[in-house]
Every structure is written in structure tokens, then in C-alpha cells.
């Protein structure tokens, strides 16, 4: 079986001044995160602005990251509204040597539970790689109803090996794990990492690990050493940072935090705004106050 437990950085997509993907910066950031000790990377997810990328660009970032496939673990995010489009991304990832893919539920049209479940089976059958189901109801609008028999069967099926649980309802994380204990459960909101670990998460996938993984490593170590008070204090510091990031615009702020660290992540894609001067100062102050290096 695949050993995919651990802490994965949800990669960003750095853009250059011409608004093109900056390969060099993406690789430099990955290299730094590998050096800091991350288990691997979640490539092309929300933090990578996947739904603001062209189809070619979504495949291109899989290709860039694949450079490190032998020294780290990679998950390719292939989620799309269209099943065929998701399959095309999955096939590209497979060709590049990825062994695991992930997919958001198809969104916007309010597809029926049957249609959503079929989307996952179709991806699995056509790509032939196990899927980490990306459960992000806040952004997709899709709630996985565990009372629904089709959805329960999906979690039990061979198609799904894990769940990226980007949902503050961590009770549901525990209930999903209870459906099939072999599922690899990833905590997906970095704000509740300590709680996710406590209720059974096997790891985490998050965007703030890009610029503050050493801080989370301390949380993980404290938790594993049963120093729960210490873990909570570090979580609070991390949450002071995340609250500020979300206030000014999460993805723009993550890119700015990286820029402060010498990783030139560039601006986010429109309609996202770049931070203004006041917001930049605010983020810099919050980081200085709370970041444990
Ligand atoms: C991804 O790129 O797919 C993700 O990492 C999703 C998880 C992140 N959620 C969002 C909306 O980006 O790491 C979280 C999130 O950034 C963090 O908890 C701060 O809110």
C-alpha cells in the first residue's frame, strides 16, 4: 500500500512579471520545503489557483514539480467541473509518474449525489490511479452526506484511498475514517491541525506550510510527545497569522509572505488583488509577532 501519511504543502503557483508560471521559483520553494522536512506536495490545488489556470498550465505545473518525484511525494490535483477534463489531467499526471491524484467534487451545477459519485468512479477507472477525495464544501458547495448510501459506498470503494478534509466540521473527518479505517485522512484547514490530529487525521495538506512549515513541525512534534499545551500555544500563534492572512486575502498574503522570505512568488491572478502597502505592513508585523522559526 502507498505510504502517503504526513505533512504536504499545498503548492502555490508563482507568476513572473508577464503573468507566466515561474518554474524556477516553484522549484526553489519546493527545494526549501523538502529541506525543512515536508513529506511531500499537493500540486495544483486551490492554493495553486488551479481554477485560474489554463488547461495547459495545469498540466505544466505537474511537469515542473515532477522534477522532484524521486526525492519527495507528489499528489496531483485534477478536479474540474467536467469529468473528461479531470480525466485528461489525471492521465497527464500518470504519464509523468504521479502515483496518487486528488479531485474536488464537480461544482457550480449542483450535481446530484449519484452524479458526483460517478465522477469519482469515472476518474478512477479511466486514469487508473487511486484518488484522495478533496472534501471542501465551503468552496465547492458540495456536502458529502454520509447517510447517502452511494456516497458511503464511494468512501468504501477502491477508488478512494484518502480524504483531504478542508472542512471545519472535524466530526465528519472522524465519521469518514470510521467508514473505512484504511482511509488516509488529511486535515485541510491549518487552523485546526491540533484538533484534526486529536480526532484521527493521519496527516495534513495545507497552504500555509509553504512559508511556515518549521512552525507546524513543532506543533506536530509537541502533539506526538503529548505536550498538548505547547501544541495549542503554537496553534494559536499560527491562527493569529492565518486570521490576518484571510482578512487581507489568503492567496495574495501567502504569496507576499513568501516574497518576504526571498521567494519571489509574484502576484496572484485576477480577479485576486495584490496586497496594498498598508496590508503588506500589517502582514509583516503579524508574522514577526507570531512566527516561531
Ligand atoms: C489547496 O491548495 O488545495 C489547499 O491547501 C486547501 C487548504 C487551504 N485552504 C484554502 C482555502 O486555501 O491550507 C488551507 C488554508 O489556506 C489555511 O487553512 C488557511 O485558511
Amino acid at each position: 500500500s502507498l505510504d502517503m501519511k504526513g505533512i504536504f504543502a499545498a503548492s502555490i503557483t508563482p507568476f513572473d512579471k508577464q503573468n507566466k508560471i515561474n518554474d524556477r521559483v516553484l522549484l526553489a520553494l519546493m527545494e526549501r520545503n523538502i529541506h525543512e522536512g515536508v513529506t511531500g506536495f499537493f500540486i495544483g490545488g486551490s492554493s495553486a489557483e488551479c481554477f485560474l489556470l489554463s488547461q495547459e498550465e495545469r498540466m505544466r505545473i505537474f511537469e515542473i514539480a515532477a522534477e522532484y518525484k524521486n526525492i519527495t511525494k507528489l499528489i496531483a490535483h485534477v478536479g474540474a467541473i467536467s469529468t473528461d477534463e479531470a480525466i485528461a489531467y489525471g492521465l497527464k499526471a500518470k504519464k509523468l509518474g504521479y502515483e496518487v491524484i486528488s479531485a474536488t467534487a464537480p461544482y457550480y451545477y449542483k450535481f446530484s449525489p449519484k452524479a458526483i459519485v460517478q465522477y469519482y468512479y469515472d476518474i478512477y477507472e479511466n486514469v487508473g490511479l487511486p484518488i484522495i477525495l478533496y472534501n471542501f464544501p465551503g468552496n465547492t458547495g458540495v456536502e458529502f452526506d454520509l447517510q447517502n448510501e452511494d456516497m458511503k459506498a464511494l468512501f468504501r470503494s477502491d477508488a478512494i484511498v484518502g480524504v483531504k478534509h478542508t472542512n471545519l466540521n472535524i466530526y465528519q473527518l472522524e465519521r469518514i475514517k470510521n467508514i473505512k479505517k484504511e482511509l488516509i485522512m488529511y486535515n485541510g484547514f491549518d487552523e485546526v491541525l491540533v484538533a484534526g490530529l486529536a480526532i484521527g487525521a493521519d496527516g495534513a495538506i495545507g497552504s500555509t506550510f509553504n512559508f511556515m512549515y518549521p512552525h507546524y513541525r513543532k506543533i506536530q512534534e509537541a502533539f506526538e510527545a503529548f505536550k498538548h499545551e505547547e501544541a495549542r500555544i503554537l496553534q494559536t500563534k499560527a491562527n493569529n497569522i492565518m486570521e490576518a492572512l484571510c482578512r487581507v486575502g489568503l492567496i495574495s498574503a501567502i504569496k507576499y509572505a513568501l516574497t518576504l522570505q526571498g521567494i519571489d512568488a509574484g502576484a496572484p491572478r485576477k480577479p485576486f488583488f495584490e496586497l496594498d502597502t498598508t496590508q503588506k505592513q500589517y502582514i509583516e508585523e503579524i508574522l514577526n509577532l507570531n512566527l516561531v522559526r
Side-chain angles (χ1 to χ4, degrees), residues 51 104-108 110 134-144:
F51 299 119
T104 55
Y107 50 94
Y108 190 79
K110 303 190 190 305
Y134 189 170
N135 183 19
F136 195 177
N139 277 26
T140 61
V142 175
E143 281 289 348
F144 285 86

Side-chain angles (χ1 to χ4, degrees), residues 4-292:
M4 294 296 283
K5 294 182 179 179
I7 308 252
F8 289 71
S11 295
I12 55 135
T13 304
F15 296 116
D16 65 19
K17 294 272 182 295
Q18 282 72 46
N19 196 18
K20 297 260 184 308
I21 295 172
N22 194 331
D23 307 23
R24 190 183 46 77
V25 172
L26 179 55
L27 290 171
L29 174 57
M30 287 178 73
E31 222 169 280
R32 193 193 72 180
N33 288 152
I34 291 168
H35 186 74
E36 290 167 341
V38 296
T39 309
F41 299 88
F42 185 81
I43 304 295
S46 323
S47 319
E49 301 172 67
C50 62
F51 299 119
L52 299 172
L53 301 178
S54 70
Q55 298 193 8
E56 292 71 32
E57 286 175 322
R58 287 189 65 175
M59 296 190 188
R60 178 70 191 129
I61 50 177
F62 293 165
E63 208 166 61
I64 299 167
E67 170 127 2
Y68 292 138
K69 70 181 172 200
N70 296 324
I71 57 167
T72 191
K73 293 177 184 178
L74 299 175
I75 302 165
H77 174 251
V78 307
I81 304 184
S82 144
T83 299
D84 289 341
E85 190 184 332
I87 290 170
Y89 297 139
L91 288 171
K92 175 72 182 186
K94 189 180 184 185
K95 208 167 146 196
L96 289 164
Y98 287 72
E99 293 174 326
V100 189
I101 55 176
S102 179
T104 55
Y107 50 94
Y108 190 79
Y109 287 112
K110 303 190 190 305
F111 298 102
S112 67
K114 267 200 162 39
I116 291 166
V117 165
Q118 192 57 45
Y119 158 94
Y120 285 104
Y121 291 138
D122 284 341
I123 295 173
Y124 180 61
E125 276 159 27
N126 288 280
V127 177
L129 289 179
I131 302 170
I132 291 165
L133 186 144
Y134 189 170
N135 183 19
F136 195 177
N139 277 26
T140 61
V142 175
E143 281 289 348
F144 285 86
D145 174 7
L146 303 184
Q147 305 306 318
N148 179 293
E149 289 304 325
D150 295 323
M151 289 202 164
K152 241 198 296 205
L154 174 67
F155 286 110
R156 282 204 192 99
S157 75
D158 290 341
I160 305 299
V161 284
V163 177
K164 168 166 157 51
H165 195 75
T166 306
N167 187 346
L168 289 177
N169 177 0
I170 57 163
Y171 167 54
Q172 196 192 44
L173 184 159
E174 182 274 336
R175 286 292 88 189
I176 294 172
K177 180 101 180 165
N178 188 58
I179 294 176
K180 188 169 86 177
K181 67 175 189 332
E182 292 80 13
L183 286 172
I184 306 165
M185 301 300 299
Y186 298 95
N187 184 74
F189 268 121
D190 313 345
E191 291 89 334
V192 293
L193 178 61
V194 171
L197 291 172
I199 209 157
D202 303 291
I205 298 171
S207 59
T208 60
F209 307 152
N210 279 289
F211 71 92
M212 54 184 289
Y213 177 68
H215 185 111
Y216 288 99
R217 200 179 55 211
K218 290 199 172 67
I219 294 181
Q220 197 191 13
E221 285 165 2
F223 184 83
E224 282 167 4
F226 301 101
K227 295 177 181 164
H228 294 165
E229 178 68 8
E230 188 182 323
R232 260 196 315 270
I233 291 168
L234 288 166
Q235 180 78 72
T236 293
K237 287 181 191 287
N239 290 357
N240 292 340
I241 295 171
M242 280 181 276
E243 189 177 32
L245 300 178
C246 290
R247 228 172 115 187
V248 299
L250 180 62
I251 291 179
S252 318
I254 290 171
K255 287 188 150 179
Y256 181 64
L258 285 167
T259 303
L260 283 173
Q261 297 175 343
I263 306 273
D264 186 11
R269 279 243 162 113
K270 285 181 179 181
F272 281 130
F273 284 117
E274 235 183 310
L275 303 191
D276 65 29
T277 312
T278 318
Q279 291 170 326
K280 285 180 177 172
Q281 275 168 3
Y282 171 60
I283 292 302
E284 196 169 354
E285 275 164 33
I286 293 280
L287 287 172
N288 287 335
L289 279 172
N290 293 285
L291 203 57
V292 176

